[in-house]
Amino acid sequence: MAAAAGGYAGAAAEARFISNAKGKGLFATRNIRKGETVFVERPVVSSQFLWNALYNYRACDHCLRALETAEENAQRLLGKSSLVLPHPEQCSTRKDLHQQCPRCQVTYCSAECRQAALEQYHQVLCLGPSRDDPTHPLNKLQEAWRNMHYPPETSSIMLMARMVATIKQAKDKEWWIKVFSQFCSKTTNEEEEIVHKLLGDKFKGQLELLRLLFTEALYDEYLSRWFTPEGFQSLFALVGANGQGIGTSSLSQWVHACDALDLPMLQREELDAFIDQLYKDIEKESGEFLNCEGSGLYVLQSCCNHSCIPNAETSFPENNFLLHLTALEDIEAGEEICISYLDCCQRERSRHSRNKILRENYLFTCSCPKCLAQADDADVTSDEDEEGEGETDDAELEDEMTDV
């Protein structure tokens, strides 16, 4: 895998400015066929969610590749250490390649990831022998964040910490500041709404506590504006608005590999039945929390606008932070490439319900062709919509953004 931070491969798209109201969008630079990979993008920075890591969802500290074998993954999720998976040769985990930081013992999937982390941010963030010291400023910051942002998680204070650490370590600090400035910015009122969504009703006091702990752990004179109340809120909102969920799973990789096996019909039916039952049992034990989860900042992906009838979708088929954008239908050169911020079930709800979710979570009202065609529909179209209006399922939104 590529070790450097940021970048994309084989892009058939480019970002273009649309308008002040809509900002940027992503447009096809050539004709793209349904099922084709539009691009594969590496984040400029990423981080595993803190509760996810605390509950032993073991992932590479740099690229978030799941570190357990498929069998270990299934045993933990099922709470059954005696479980044996068939076709163990289909597990892609390479434990022989795993490495640890010699100072703080965080684990990486490879020497390349350990080196990439060290060169980009880990020199600043390495806790050394203080990894389990609750009084260390970075540990105090992480504990405060966990006490404010419970599962289902949608962001991490450590994504911001890695942004700061990246610039502190960089020789060309201005280059990195320009990279981060590419992500969409918000007005002060919009920033407050994003922070409110992440931290809840007491967000102002909590944001100030986080700022003080963030300053104690990471203050840098060169980035002094990021540590002021206004600058910290802007940084927080940047991550909240642009962070893309990442999901990885050794078990999912094993299932995909098993699906591709050429088996006699009876063996195929037995294997499919085993996998179906395994997922049902896991759901009873662990609920919807199946993946190693985190978030990252992706320059190209962040330019993708929403549509309720998307022509592309994101996924993480390589079991790490490499984001694949895939065409859901044929896309012509010059056509805007859109993804959906809603899951499949939410996209089938009324225009009123869809836009309520989008306003609450992403601060905009959709004007895609589907919404325009339904503009004259009643505000609420069914009893089901009325019943579901009271709450937005953050877990469902997160699942949609972290498809493996």
Side-chain angles (χ1 to χ4, degrees):
M1 65 161 290
Y8 45 86
E14 65 181 10
R16 298 177 191 168
F17 179 76
I18 299 175
S19 66
N20 288 330
K22 200 168 183 181
K24 291 183 287 189
L26 196 69
F27 293 83
T29 55
R30 59 170 174 80
N31 291 341
I32 301 168
R33 300 299 297 268
K34 178 180 178 179
E36 185 179 343
T37 300
V38 182
F39 60 74
V40 178
E41 185 174 15
R42 194 165 52 248
V44 291
V45 68
S46 62
S47 180
Q48 187 178 5
F49 293 148
L50 292 179
W51 279 107
N52 191 258
L54 190 68
Y55 280 109
N56 294 318
Y57 288 74
R58 296 181 55 238
C60 173
D61 199 58
H62 183 63
C63 79
L64 275 77
R65 182 183 298 278
L67 297 176
E68 294 173 306
T69 64
E71 189 167 273
E72 289 170 339
N73 191 185
Q75 288 172 346
R76 175 175 55 78
L77 293 173
L78 198 56
K80 186 177 179 182
S81 60
S82 61
L83 175 75
V84 176
L85 291 185
H87 301 285
E89 75 284 352
Q90 298 303 314
C91 176
S92 60
T93 303
R94 291 285 306 278
K95 287 197 163 189
D96 56 310
L97 298 179
H98 294 180
Q99 292 200 3
Q100 289 186 320
C101 169
R103 296 192 65 240
C104 68
Q105 278 73 56
V106 297
T107 307
Y108 300 97
C109 68
S110 64
E112 290 81 7
C113 274
R114 184 173 71 84
Q115 189 62 29
L118 188 67
E119 291 176 358
Q120 186 182 339
Y121 54 80
H122 191 66
Q123 293 173 51
V124 169
L125 298 178
C126 181
L127 291 169
S130 301
R131 185 180 180 187
D132 297 320
D133 178 3
T135 65
H136 189 282
L138 274 174
N139 286 331
K140 286 162 59 179
L141 176 67
Q142 293 180 76
E143 181 64 17
W145 175 259
R146 280 192 292 265
N147 287 332
M148 296 176 192
H149 191 66
Y150 291 95
E153 299 170 273
T154 56
S155 191
S156 172
I157 194 73
M158 292 309 292
L159 197 60
M160 297 165 60
R162 288 189 176 181
M163 291 171 69
V164 170
T166 293
I167 295 173
K168 288 180 78 164
Q169 278 191 211
K171 292 179 181 177
D172 190 347
K173 300 180 188 300
E174 275 303 312
W175 184 85
W176 276 102
I177 288 176
K178 287 178 182 176
V179 168
F180 291 130
S181 71
Q182 294 178 73
F183 294 96
C184 80
S185 55
K186 302 288 183 182
T187 65
T188 300
N189 286 342
E190 288 174 329
E191 287 177 353
E192 284 201 0
E193 287 188 56
I194 293 168
V195 176
H196 186 180
K197 179 66 183 172
L198 284 172
L199 297 181
D201 291 336
K202 299 178 181 178
F203 73 95
K204 289 189 176 179
Q206 291 182 326
L207 187 67
E208 179 60 13
L209 172 60
L210 286 172
R211 186 184 72 84
L212 294 173
L213 291 170
F214 196 78
T215 301
E216 179 187 359
L218 293 162
Y219 183 77
D220 185 79
E221 187 66 35
Y222 192 83
L223 296 170
S224 57
R225 186 188 172 276
W226 282 8
F227 295 89
T228 65
E230 298 79 13
F232 186 70
Q233 177 172 286
S234 294
L235 183 64
F236 202 96
L238 182 151
V239 167
N242 295 280
Q244 160 70 43
I246 300 168
T248 64
S249 166
S250 302
L251 181 60
S252 175
Q253 292 289 302
W254 174 82
V255 169
H256 288 317
C258 286
D259 286 343
L261 288 174
D262 185 13
L263 298 173
M265 184 180 294
L266 183 59
Q267 289 185 36
R268 166 55 59 195
E269 291 174 353
E270 288 176 347
L271 180 58
D272 289 348
F274 174 86
I275 291 172
D276 288 344
Q277 188 59 49
L278 176 63
Y279 272 113
K280 288 176 184 176
D281 293 342
I282 286 174
E283 186 177 5
K284 290 178 186 175
E285 182 70 24
S286 299
E288 74 268 16
F289 298 105
L290 305 184
N291 299 335
C292 297
E293 291 186 347
S295 62
L297 296 177
Y298 296 82
V299 175
L300 264 188
Q301 177 276 333
S302 71
C303 298
C304 286
N305 288 312
H306 163 83
S307 173
C308 297
I309 42 173
N311 56 11
E313 66 178 357
T314 60
S315 62
F316 298 89
E318 298 187 47
N319 196 32
N320 61 11
F321 62 15
L322 291 177
L323 178 149
H324 288 233
L325 187 74
T326 306
L328 293 173
E329 58 188 53
D330 290 347
I331 303 171
E332 294 183 2
E335 186 179 347
E336 185 174 6
I337 299 171
C338 295
I339 60 175
S340 179
Y341 301 170
L342 306 175
D343 67 32
C344 295
C345 294
Q346 290 165 337
R347 290 201 294 273
E348 295 307 312
R349 296 176 67 181
S350 69
R351 179 188 62 85
H352 173 79
S353 298
R354 296 195 307 271
N355 276 289
K356 184 174 187 293
I357 295 170
L358 291 168
R359 280 193 300 271
E360 288 179 353
N361 290 275
Y362 303 102
L363 312 182
F364 72 88
T365 298
C366 183
S367 58
C368 74
K370 182 175 182 177
C371 286
L372 291 177
Q374 297 175 345
D376 295 329
D377 291 359
D379 277 351
V380 177
T381 58
S382 69
D383 293 338
E384 181 184 343
D385 276 337
E386 281 187 349
E387 290 168 7
E389 288 295 323
E391 58 181 298
T392 298
D393 194 333
D394 286 336
E396 286 188 6
L397 285 170
E398 185 61 26
D399 282 346
E400 180 68 12
M401 302 300 280
T402 59
D403 284 344
V404 176

